[in-house]
Amino acid sequence: MRLTRLLSTSALIAFGTMPALAAPASDVSDTKHHKAKPKTEIAAPSMMGNTAPTDVHEEHVAVSGHHAFDGVTRRAVGGGLMEKQDSAKSVSAVSRDFIEKQVPGADPMQLISLLPGANVSSGDPAGLTGSSMSMRGLDQSQIGFTLEGFPINDIGNFAVYSQEIVDSENLRTVRVAQGSADLDSPHISSTGGVVDMYMIDPQMKAGGRLGVSYGSYDYTRGFLRLDTGKIGNTNLRAYFSGSYATEGVNNSDATNRKLHAETKIVNDWGDGNRVSLAIVGNRLYNYLTPNVSEASWDAYGRGVKDRYVAPGKNAAGQNISNTVWNSTYNPSASDGGTSYYKLHQNPFTNIYASAPSTFKLTDHLTMTETPYFWYGDGSGGGAYVTDMTKLSYGAQTMTGSLNGQTSKSRVLYNPSITKTYRPGAVTKLTLTTGNNRLMVGYWFEYAKQAQQGPYTGVGADGNPWDLWGSAANVVLANGQTYQYRNTLTQTRVHTMFIGDTLSLLNNKLTIDAGFKYAIVLRSGTNMLPDTLTGRNISQTYKEPLPTVAIRYQINPENQIFVSGATNFRMPTNYALYDAGTYRNGYYSTQANLNQKPEISISEEVGYRYTGKTFMGSITYFHYDFTNRLMSSSQCLNDLCTIYGSTNINAGGQTTNGVDAEFGTRPIFRYFRPYVSFEYVDARLGSNLQAGSGTGIDYLRTKGKFAPETPKFQVGFNLDYDDGHLFGGYNLKYVSRQYSTFMNDQSIPGYVLMNANIGYRFGNLGFLQAPNVRINFSNLTDRAYLGFVKGIQTNATEQTGIYGKKISGSTPTYAIAAPFAAIASVSAGF
């Protein structure tokens, strides 16, 4: 199915009292809003709640006589790549000390790329095209992403578009739980853990921040934030920020553009009462980046600019094409000019808002209510040479016309339009009595997602008539608009959760037990005719999800933990629908209503050391998966004369591995090193089906290494900051990644190196701590494939268990970003 874009939007909310600066939890105490806790009270949550970092409301920190408007403390462990953790499971985090020194506007996935388990690859250094990510071998659609407790995974296919989430200047910390979600995490796709992002709060004093950047590929960006400070004699305060960025696409004339705005209003009073309102808007005019085959990569590398390259075959008979879109429109070429870059645009608009509230009802009872709503509308386009005399409308073949004209060979623009309305709310009550804490809650969401795929015309200059497909469309002889898909999906989520934490031995021992019960009702309407699943489809998924965790604090420096959790990921919405081209009773994309949710049962055993100078952790993890969900090219009839894409159950998988990370506070004259490591052994537990009916057979995939899973990853960062001069160097090693379940194709391992250097001045008039810096990405300009984008069962022809020949399919990959240098100037006021 030519599905180029499904909606993913981001939303900004503020759960509880959020911190505003990057000091480690162990370094900061806030006596203004918190009473001293008796020894018998629960010290910290383990797996029960999605809890923000330590509460701090003032972003400004004095650093060596300077006013650090950026939240840099120069004390954070590992240069801001570690924070003190108390959860009874594996958790890692980055803070302002690290975020502030990266490329301005970098997306959240780029910021966590050095943490254990995070395999991140980006197509551009500034984050305008978004990044690809897996964690412990599980891709981003299996990881729950939240911003201030709000779910930002696409409600249909659970993808995450990281370039749309948040401006890094307003990002306080990113917290990664590699193994499992918290009980109150609002996700229906988190079999591989969660990534929680938290924003800074508005400042108590009026002021703001400004910054500009310029660099490689004509990258330009401006950012401005204005803080009101406390309004009157209240704690009511707000900030308003906006940014605009543009960037040229490597080896192309295309330019990506992003306009982003954020507003956050906060008021808190008494002992723990708080209300906030956040509104975020994002407008993206982007270009889709082509995923490439191994043969195309070998032939053209990063691509050829200013020379038209049409799809063809190499000496081995493999299909190859240029690895970038062509810069000129050539309608007389063999592909009709469809590889012209303006025919692959990706505009998208997000607007979202939330109003989280926390009320302390009694000395022991707290209620948190987080309503949210977001809207998204956008399209990702492609172009195709089409015979308008033979268009399919279900089982019928008929002619079509565009502005009254019919052609046997015409280039048509086909945007993949997605529009989503998504309201929801998380309600939670927490009762604390002595050494026990009980939490009960309910998450409700009702999302509507409409997806169409109409066709419109292309001008003589190669420009689409309408990027949104709302102008003149191809109309069939029966008066219907010609579309490859036309669906409406409604998703209702009802999730109840309850958890209890018992603290014993003066808070040295905490025991958690929790239970979540998720009910997801998904109904769909497919407006295409003659579908095997019918016009109206309805599915209900019910999953019980227990958790348990134990943490023991041996002494102030040493801690051990054991945890077990059950997580699930429900089938994507496009598993409900037949779509695409109709041929001999089958659509090119086939529905599969028999899919069950993907289930993961994870266990972790870990040890942490938290000293005054040194901090480290090591975790052993184990997963058992059932009903792994994947999309695959399948034989659709008994004789295997028709193939199409369908969603299948890939069976079981067992994963074992070790994560570790170590960092220090400043040593050896302001240096702060950090290192992370991961080893994973992920093995498939089933032989995959190939074909159907009398043509059925099975590939010998049992025992093979899981695709998209590096066996080894190593991260290293060295930070230096003396108050004026600062800089950093980091590298990431990622080992080989298979792109098929048969392990017959892979991309090699690579080492990526980045660096930054800058200088922080003293206050200059009304400007606070102005600074200049340069960020260098991919220092060696290594050309490599960074991520597997299109996993296949097998790349070469295989013989099945029953002796049948099973044809191979071509895996595709994302090209990693080349070298870039970006200079920035910023200051507070």
Side-chain angles (χ1 to χ4, degrees):
M1 182 168 69
R2 295 191 296 262
L3 180 58
T4 54
R5 177 61 182 249
L6 285 173
L7 173 68
S8 174
T9 62
S10 4
L12 174 63
I13 68 175
F15 237 156
T17 49
M18 295 297 99
L21 58 87
S26 57
D27 284 351
V28 180
S29 60
D30 183 6
T31 57
K32 182 176 181 179
H33 299 282
H34 294 280
K35 296 179 180 179
K37 294 181 178 181
K39 290 184 178 181
T40 56
E41 189 172 319
I42 304 297
S46 294
M47 298 179 68
M48 281 176 41
N50 189 354
T51 305
T54 304
D55 178 28
V56 183
H57 291 293
E58 188 64 50
E59 185 186 13
H60 294 269
V61 181
V63 179
S64 298
H66 303 289
H67 199 68
F69 67 93
D70 51 19
V72 173
T73 67
R74 298 175 48 231
R75 289 285 302 163
V77 178
L81 284 163
M82 287 192 74
E83 291 184 341
K84 182 180 179 181
Q85 304 296 338
D86 286 310
S87 293
K89 62 178 181 178
S90 177
V91 177
S92 303
V94 300
S95 63
R96 290 296 314 162
D97 276 52
F98 181 77
I99 296 169
E100 178 61 28
K101 296 173 184 178
Q102 308 313 301
V103 176
D107 72 56
M109 290 185 187
Q110 292 173 309
L111 297 175
I112 62 175
S113 62
L114 295 174
L115 298 184
N119 172 28
V120 178
S121 181
S122 301
D124 73 296
L128 288 189
T129 60
S131 300
S132 300
M133 176 182 172
S134 66
M135 192 158 64
R136 293 180 178 175
L138 307 175
D139 71 28
Q140 61 201 52
S141 68
Q142 297 168 286
I143 303 167
F145 281 75
T146 63
L147 183 65
E148 298 285 345
F150 174 86
I152 60 175
N153 295 72
D154 183 276
I155 189 60
N157 71 343
F158 315 124
V160 178
Y161 302 98
S162 56
Q163 71 271 36
E164 300 172 357
I165 298 175
V166 63
D167 276 335
S168 59
E169 291 89 344
N170 294 336
L171 189 57
R172 193 271 192 211
T173 188
V174 185
R175 174 182 177 268
V176 178
Q178 291 94 338
S180 62
D182 293 319
L183 273 179
D184 61 349
S185 292
H187 296 296
I188 55 175
S189 62
S190 57
T191 49
V194 292
V195 176
D196 297 317
M197 292 160 280
Y198 300 97
M199 309 293 295
I200 63 171
D201 266 359
Q203 300 174 17
M204 288 293 190
K205 297 181 180 179
R209 171 182 180 147
L210 56 87
V212 293
S213 302
Y214 179 78
S216 301
Y217 312 106
D218 292 326
Y219 175 72
T220 58
R221 182 177 184 269
F223 174 86
L224 175 65
R225 183 175 70 231
L226 300 175
D227 283 84
T228 64
K230 293 170 61 175
I231 299 175
N233 294 321
T234 71
N235 285 328
L236 180 64
R237 60 219 187 261
Y239 65 68
F240 306 87
S241 74
S243 68
Y244 181 71
T246 65
E247 177 188 49
V249 179
N250 180 49
N251 286 339
S252 172
D253 291 333
T255 300
N256 295 320
R257 293 170 288 151
K258 175 183 175 180
L259 178 64
H260 191 89
E262 296 173 356
T263 297
K264 187 174 182 181
I265 305 170
V266 174
N267 190 25
D268 42 28
W269 68 94
D271 184 17
N273 298 292
R274 174 184 173 96
V275 174
S276 68
L277 170 66
I279 304 172
V280 175
N282 190 81
R283 187 66 181 263
L284 190 70
Y285 279 98
N286 214 347
Y287 285 84
L288 295 168
T289 302
N291 297 324
V292 303
S293 66
E294 184 181 59
S296 297
W297 173 253
D298 291 341
Y300 297 114
R302 286 175 175 155
V304 180
K305 182 184 177 183
D306 298 327
R307 179 167 71 83
Y308 190 86
V309 178
K313 291 183 181 292
N314 61 13
Q318 297 170 305
N319 294 320
I320 61 171
S321 60
N322 195 10
T323 53
V324 294
W325 305 125
N326 288 305
S327 296
T328 56
Y329 181 55
N330 185 1
S332 62
S334 60
D335 68 345
T338 57
S339 56
Y340 181 47
Y341 76 94
K342 289 187 178 180
L343 296 176
H344 300 274
Q345 299 189 53
N346 188 37
F348 217 84
T349 299
N350 309 90
I351 301 174
Y352 34 89
S354 65
S357 304
T358 301
F359 301 103
K360 191 167 185 180
L361 304 179
T362 70
D363 287 342
H364 302 286
L365 183 63
T366 301
M367 182 180 75
T368 303
E369 177 70 24
T370 308
Y372 59 83
F373 174 82
W374 59 257
Y375 161 82
D377 185 16
S379 71
Y384 308 92
V385 178
T386 306
D387 183 351
M388 297 174 64
T389 67
K390 296 180 180 179
L391 300 180
S392 65
Y393 184 67
Q396 303 177 52
T397 299
M398 59 184 65
T399 60
S401 62
L402 185 63
N403 283 354
Q405 297 180 350
T406 299
S407 172
K408 284 191 174 183
S409 179
R410 179 162 185 169
V411 175
L412 298 177
Y413 183 71
N414 178 217
S416 175
I417 300 170
T418 298
K419 183 176 291 186
T420 300
Y421 300 89
R422 190 177 181 184
V426 179
T427 303
K428 182 172 65 174
L429 287 170
T430 304
L431 177 66
T432 303
T433 54
N435 62 351
N436 192 80
R437 183 177 61 210
L438 177 68
M439 179 186 73
V440 295
Y442 172 64
W443 168 42
F444 172 74
E445 181 174 290
Y446 180 18
K448 292 186 177 182
Q449 187 174 71
Q451 296 176 298
Q452 287 86 34
Y455 292 78
T456 188
V458 175
D461 59 357
N463 281 306
W465 286 2
D466 192 294
L467 289 178
W468 307 89
S470 57
N473 296 126
V474 174
V475 178
L476 298 167
N478 63 359
Q480 297 291 321
T481 298
Y482 176 48
Q483 302 193 72
Y484 81 90
R485 67 169 182 175
N486 187 9
T487 64
L488 172 64
T489 307
Q490 300 183 69
T491 305
R492 298 171 180 85
V493 181
H494 302 271
T495 299
M496 293 69 71
F497 52 89
I498 182 170
D500 189 79
T501 298
L502 178 64
S503 179
L504 303 171
L505 305 178
N506 291 323
N507 285 328
K508 285 189 174 183
L509 176 66
T510 58
I511 302 173
D512 284 352
F515 183 79
K516 178 189 296 187
Y517 190 71
I519 304 173
V520 183
L521 300 91
R522 197 160 243 179
S523 59
T525 303
N526 191 354
M527 271 66 84
L528 296 181
D530 305 320
T531 60
L532 296 179
T533 56
R535 178 180 175 87
N536 297 304
I537 309 102
S538 181
Q539 293 284 84
T540 300
Y541 307 90
K542 299 179 181 180
E543 291 298 330
L545 305 167
T547 64
V548 64
I550 300 173
R551 185 203 64 189
Y552 184 72
Q553 191 76 38
I554 301 171
N555 56 38
E557 291 81 26
N558 295 279
Q559 179 185 108
I560 57 175
F561 61 86
V562 179
S563 67
T566 306
N567 295 281
F568 86 115
R569 173 177 178 254
M570 61 177 289
T572 61
N573 70 327
Y574 51 77
L576 300 176
Y577 306 114
D578 297 327
T581 303
Y582 187 92
R583 179 186 171 198
N584 296 337
Y586 297 92
Y587 282 86
S588 56
T589 297
Q590 194 77 17
N592 184 355
L593 299 184
N594 296 320
Q595 280 194 305
K596 296 179 180 179
E598 176 179 288
I599 304 295
S600 72
I601 300 175
S602 64
E603 299 92 24
E604 293 184 326
V605 179
Y607 163 78
R608 294 190 184 103
Y609 176 82
T610 306
K612 293 182 178 179
T613 301
F614 176 81
M615 189 180 294
S617 70
I618 185 168
T619 304
Y620 163 77
F621 57 87
H622 172 83
Y623 293 94
D624 278 310
F625 286 91
T626 55
N627 304 325
R628 286 296 306 270
L629 303 179
M630 64 168 289
S631 178
S632 175
S633 176
Q634 290 283 297
C635 170
L636 298 180
N637 63 354
D638 290 349
L639 300 177
C640 287
T641 58
I642 302 175
Y643 279 83
S645 173
T646 189
N647 294 274
I648 67 171
N649 182 339
Q653 178 180 316
T654 300
T655 300
N656 290 279
V658 176
D659 281 342
E661 61 179 339
F662 309 92
T664 76
R665 300 192 193 279
I667 57 173
F668 307 124
R669 295 184 177 273
Y670 312 111
F671 284 103
R672 291 179 291 176
Y674 169 86
V675 63
S676 66
F677 169 81
E678 180 175 83
Y679 165 78
V680 174
D681 183 42
R683 300 290 173 173
L684 304 178
S686 307
N687 293 316
L688 290 184
Q689 178 182 329
S692 62
T694 59
I696 196 170
D697 206 334
Y698 290 86
L699 288 163
R700 301 177 188 273
T701 54
K702 186 175 182 179
K704 298 290 187 181
F705 203 87
E708 204 179 61
T709 306
K711 180 175 282 191
F712 294 100
Q713 292 189 78
V714 178
F716 172 76
N717 184 71
L718 184 62
D719 177 86
Y720 175 89
D721 194 335
D722 67 8
H724 290 288
L725 180 66
F726 59 89
Y729 166 83
N730 66 67
L731 65 82
K732 183 66 180 284
Y733 167 72
V734 179
S735 66
R736 176 175 61 177
Q737 302 173 64
Y738 288 111
S739 55
T740 69
F741 283 78
M742 280 297 296
N743 295 172
D744 56 354
Q745 194 172 117
S746 64
I747 56 176
Y750 64 87
V751 175
L752 176 66
M753 293 182 284
N754 306 307
N756 66 80
I757 188 169
Y759 191 85
R760 189 182 298 114
F761 295 90
N763 295 342
L764 297 176
F766 73 95
L767 295 178
Q768 299 168 358
N771 67 83
V772 296
R773 74 174 184 272
I774 302 178
N775 291 88
F776 303 95
S777 303
N778 194 354
L779 281 171
T780 61
D781 196 26
R782 179 187 175 100
Y784 65 99
L785 297 173
F787 204 83
V788 180
K789 297 295 288 186
I791 298 174
Q792 302 294 339
T793 55
N794 53 302
T796 59
E797 184 180 272
Q798 301 287 334
T799 301
I801 291 176
Y802 300 146
K804 292 182 172 61
K805 298 296 183 181
I806 301 171
S807 300
S809 300
T810 303
T812 55
Y813 310 95
I815 301 174
F819 168 81
I822 296 176
S824 305
V825 179
S826 63
F829 56 87

